[in-house]
Amino acid sequence: MNYVNNWRPDLPRAARIIQIGVENERTRTFVLDLHLAARPGQFVMVWLPGVEERPLSLIAGDPVSFTVARVGPFTTALHQLRVGDRVWVRGPYGNGFDVRGQHLLCVGGGYGVAPMLFVARQAIAASRRVTAVIGARTAAELLFTDRFAALGCAVITTTDDGSAGARGLVTDGVRRVLEQGLPDEVYACGPRPMLEAILRLCQAEGLPCQLSWENKMRCAMGICGTCEQNGWLVCREGPVQRWVPIPP
């Protein structure tokens, strides 16, 4: 295993792929021979020479693991790699999630479920209770439901077409959980409309939440400004933003 000592995180480091897991037709999980002291919600910049560099959320730091859907030239090139091939990694970057309270509600929409698995694993290891609501367009696109269940999480699934779990949006599943009792904090990663809807639900209930917002990133060091969003640098000050109710 490629353990890192005195590594400057802003310098790319070569790492070999030691395992590739097939999650569905266009999604793979890559495991590297690299250890990083990373927190759930943080990301790494993965560079393929001659292709480009892209930010990828971590599902684990020990060893470094990330899940990637094939959606463009970079991810297509990554999917063509095999065990033993090398990639270059810098990071981890971002602020990450803080595990708080005794009962966590983790919400993953589409590929946003990947960092939620990292949160759930850390929370269960700390003897916390986790309910996971996982949504996707179809049954074939649902990810990691068995891994959340194996951790001991209560798992609720939704699909847009009703091919697995309840028909509807992931936020419909969140509403059902909240109707049965409030968790101590909500954690979520997924498309922006989903996060905005969850923020509104939490504000209505006076419930703290931590949301991971995506945006385009290039340098990951707060220099280029590509990820700036209303004066907020997502790469350095995010991607996780916590909302807490104002005391009466």
Side-chain angles (χ1 to χ4, degrees):
M1 185 62 64
N2 191 358
Y3 282 86
V4 176
N5 292 311
N6 300 319
W7 177 36
R8 292 178 57 187
D10 293 331
L11 295 179
R13 181 186 183 93
R16 290 196 184 278
I17 299 170
I18 59 173
Q19 183 179 333
I20 300 174
V22 178
E23 307 297 348
N24 60 34
E25 183 180 359
R26 66 189 189 106
T27 309
R28 305 282 185 273
T29 293
F30 296 83
V31 183
L32 308 183
D33 68 340
L34 178 65
H35 161 87
L36 293 176
R39 298 170 54 201
Q42 289 191 297
F43 64 95
V44 291
M45 298 297 292
V46 177
W47 176 42
L48 299 181
V51 185
E52 63 177 319
E53 186 184 49
R54 293 284 296 274
L56 296 175
S57 294
L58 291 166
I59 63 170
D62 183 17
V64 168
S65 310
F66 43 79
T67 298
V68 183
R70 189 180 65 253
V71 294
F74 174 84
T75 52
T76 297
L78 191 58
H79 276 223
Q80 291 171 343
L81 298 180
R82 299 290 179 261
V83 170
D85 288 339
R86 294 191 300 175
V87 299
W88 278 257
V89 177
R90 58 186 178 95
Y93 294 109
N95 55 359
F97 293 100
D98 288 322
V99 172
R100 296 169 180 266
Q102 294 301 312
H103 180 202
L104 289 71
L105 173 57
C106 292
V107 186
Y111 302 104
V113 71
M116 290 298 100
L117 182 62
F118 199 171
V119 174
R121 191 183 299 119
Q122 189 172 88
I124 292 293
S127 301
R128 314 296 173 86
R129 184 160 67 97
V130 176
T131 300
V133 181
I134 303 169
R137 290 183 298 180
T138 67
E141 294 177 90
L142 281 172
L143 295 173
F144 301 152
T145 55
D146 54 343
R147 299 189 197 183
F148 278 96
L151 288 173
C153 305
V155 180
I156 296 167
T157 57
T158 65
T159 51
D160 295 358
D161 65 356
S163 53
R167 179 192 294 272
L169 301 175
V170 69
T171 46
D172 297 327
V174 172
R175 288 190 185 89
R176 285 194 287 275
V177 172
L178 299 185
E179 288 169 358
Q180 295 169 9
L182 297 181
D184 293 317
E185 189 134 345
V186 176
Y187 300 73
C189 184
R192 175 171 291 273
M194 183 201 93
L195 296 179
E196 292 172 342
I198 289 174
L199 178 59
R200 289 193 295 271
L201 285 171
C202 290
Q203 290 173 332
E205 296 288 352
L207 184 60
C209 61
Q210 298 180 40
L211 309 176
S212 180
W213 300 89
E214 293 186 353
N215 207 352
K216 292 183 179 178
M217 298 182 196
R218 288 186 178 173
C219 72
M221 297 182 288
I223 297 174
C224 72
T226 301
C227 66
E228 187 272 339
Q229 182 175 292
N230 299 321
W232 185 55
L233 290 172
V234 176
C235 70
R236 289 198 61 177
E237 301 169 282
V240 177
Q241 203 168 41
R242 185 171 188 248
W243 179 85
V244 293
I246 298 173

